Amino acid sequence: MSLTVRQTSPVLGDSVLLYYHPTMENLARTIANKCDGKSKGQDGERRRKVQLCDSIEWRTFHDGFPNLFIEDVGDMAGKDVIFLGSFHSPGIIFEQLSVLYAIPRYLAKSFHFIMPYFPTGTMERIDNEGQIATAKTLATLLSAIPLSSKGPAQILIYDIHALQERFYFSDTVIPRLETAIPLMQRELEKLPDRNDLAFAFPDDGAYKRFHRHFPEELTIICAKVRDGTKRIVTVKDGNPQGKHVVIVDDLVQTGGTLRECAKALMDKGAKKISAYVTHPVFPKQSWKNFMNCSPKFENFWITDSVPHASEISQNEPFRMLSLCDAISESLLGHDLKPN
């Protein structure tokens, strides 16, 4: 099978080159357009153009292994290069690692890898002998990205599951841990009942990661308790009475905990339930469990950190918040300043 994309325009002299994996093409194009639309900072400072590069041929041999080719490697010399990728599936990690290892060797001045979703983040520790911390394994693979002439590659990750995972990377790369929470906060300002909001966290871990973004008096912490062989979600701290409660977490898999959390909040008097997660993983289309579920979710905000988020957002109660704004603002704030 062959999937080929080709460059359509010449590389400009002061451009930042933006490459991407095909699964992230839509987000890459919106990022490039967004950055070009803000070619000057608030102070009138000139920003460099983001040049979208469509020149990587993502082909495979008959045995399924990658057969990759970058047409314009000569243009990378002395340039700042960005690669937008996605590791949402094990089947596409190897081909992207091959590209990540190659780009700095073509004399890129600096290199940024934007990987919105760090997929092994929930496997960050060992509780029993025999468990394998695959988050450490993936961080080790990414730490092998070669140095560019400016130094270590920077890896942008959004709402990582555990902050300590930054220490799984070696000193040969620089992990930059960003958050997409401001995207959700902007949406909340548009709600008619924005003065009646409260914010719930499914467990202590989510509270630790996100509570600083919200007024302490409006936060609610849920917890799982064991009742025989069952695990029941209860409201551990905070008061949802009469509030439109937004459940906040970094990612969702099957969504069972979120739905149980919603039930506990409604039992304690919440008037409405919404949810926000940065990474809508939803294996085996488990997002369908939130369509017509009880209690009803008024809104379920997600980002496009994984490619299938676009499909999910076409269905109620899901609302897409594109990482384009968050990534563009991060790049415009630092990486796109003129040399």
Side-chain angles (χ1 to χ4, degrees):
M1 184 180 76
S2 175
L3 177 57
T4 304
V5 288
R6 298 185 181 278
Q7 184 179 354
T8 58
S9 59
V11 173
L12 304 179
D14 196 28
S15 295
V16 176
L17 307 185
L18 174 58
Y19 295 85
Y20 56 89
H21 188 264
T23 59
M24 302 299 277
E25 179 176 359
N26 289 339
L27 181 55
R29 291 191 180 281
T30 55
I31 289 170
N33 291 336
K34 184 82 171 184
C35 290
D36 285 348
K38 294 186 176 181
S39 60
K40 291 186 178 181
Q42 293 181 352
D43 56 0
E45 181 183 25
R46 182 176 64 87
R47 307 290 191 187
R48 289 183 293 160
K49 180 178 177 62
V50 174
Q51 178 84 36
L52 193 67
C53 297
D54 301 329
S55 59
I56 302 179
E57 296 181 4
W58 300 90
R59 303 173 300 189
T60 57
F61 291 107
H62 292 301
D63 61 2
F65 276 87
N67 176 17
L68 309 171
F69 186 78
I70 307 174
E71 290 186 346
D72 57 355
V73 290
D75 295 325
M76 293 185 189
K79 292 287 195 304
D80 295 304
V81 179
I82 299 169
F83 181 82
L84 173 63
S86 176
F87 281 12
H88 65 280
S89 168
I92 59 174
I93 290 178
F94 181 69
E95 62 184 10
Q96 290 180 82
L97 283 174
S98 301
V99 171
L100 295 175
Y101 294 169
I103 288 176
R105 299 184 186 279
Y106 288 112
L107 304 180
K109 182 168 63 175
S110 70
F111 184 44
H112 290 68
F113 174 37
I114 304 175
M115 182 180 64
Y117 171 48
F118 189 71
T120 58
T122 56
M123 295 300 296
E124 84 278 9
R125 64 181 183 272
I126 297 175
D127 297 317
N128 298 295
E129 288 295 332
Q131 282 184 311
I132 297 176
T134 50
K136 178 65 169 69
T137 305
L138 186 55
T140 300
L141 291 171
L142 290 171
S143 296
I145 297 174
L147 298 176
S148 65
S149 61
K150 267 191 174 181
Q154 296 187 36
I155 303 174
L156 277 71
I157 302 171
Y158 282 82
D159 292 322
I160 199 167
H161 184 69
L163 291 176
Q164 65 267 24
E165 290 175 17
R166 75 179 71 194
F167 302 110
Y168 289 173
F169 295 84
S170 76
D171 292 339
T172 55
V173 295
I174 301 174
R176 282 174 52 180
L177 306 187
E178 308 283 351
T179 183
I181 290 292
L183 299 178
M184 184 263 287
Q185 291 173 323
R186 294 172 193 173
E187 291 300 303
L188 296 180
E189 288 297 319
K190 303 174 185 177
L191 296 179
D193 59 353
R194 59 186 176 275
N195 294 323
D196 292 326
L197 294 174
F199 305 94
F201 307 98
D203 51 41
D204 288 326
Y207 172 79
K208 291 176 182 177
R209 284 190 295 276
F210 297 121
H211 76 94
R212 67 184 183 278
H213 297 287
F214 307 98
E216 189 66 27
E217 66 274 12
L218 299 180
T219 60
I220 301 165
I221 306 174
C222 296
K224 290 181 182 178
V225 297
R226 186 182 296 277
D227 181 10
T229 58
K230 296 181 179 179
R231 287 186 179 270
I232 301 173
V233 175
T234 64
V235 176
K236 173 183 174 182
D237 189 28
N239 182 15
Q241 181 69 42
K243 297 291 187 180
H244 179 177
V245 182
V246 182
I247 306 171
V248 180
D249 208 352
D250 60 328
L251 61 87
V252 58
Q253 299 269 3
T254 63
T257 298
L258 289 184
R259 295 194 303 276
E260 290 300 316
C261 187
K263 292 177 183 177
L265 292 164
M266 292 296 285
D267 289 344
K268 290 292 185 179
K271 68 175 183 178
K272 292 181 183 178
I273 299 293
S274 290
Y276 164 85
V277 297
T278 303
H279 310 298
V281 182
F282 286 126
K284 300 180 180 179
Q285 294 191 318
S286 53
W287 54 268
K288 292 182 179 180
N289 294 329
F290 287 89
M291 298 175 64
N292 303 315
C293 68
S294 180
K296 173 187 175 183
F297 281 69
E298 297 291 323
N299 308 280
F300 198 130
W301 290 285
I302 60 176
T303 79
D304 48 359
S305 67
V306 292
H308 53 270
S310 296
E311 174 194 352
I312 296 170
S313 66
Q314 301 303 311
N315 302 274
E316 290 290 339
F318 298 99
R319 312 276 186 266
M320 174 69 80
L321 304 177
S322 179
L323 285 174
C324 170
D325 288 347
I327 293 173
S328 300
E329 288 167 10
S330 176
L331 296 175
L332 288 166
H334 176 71
D335 304 304
L336 301 186
K337 292 181 179 179
N339 295 323

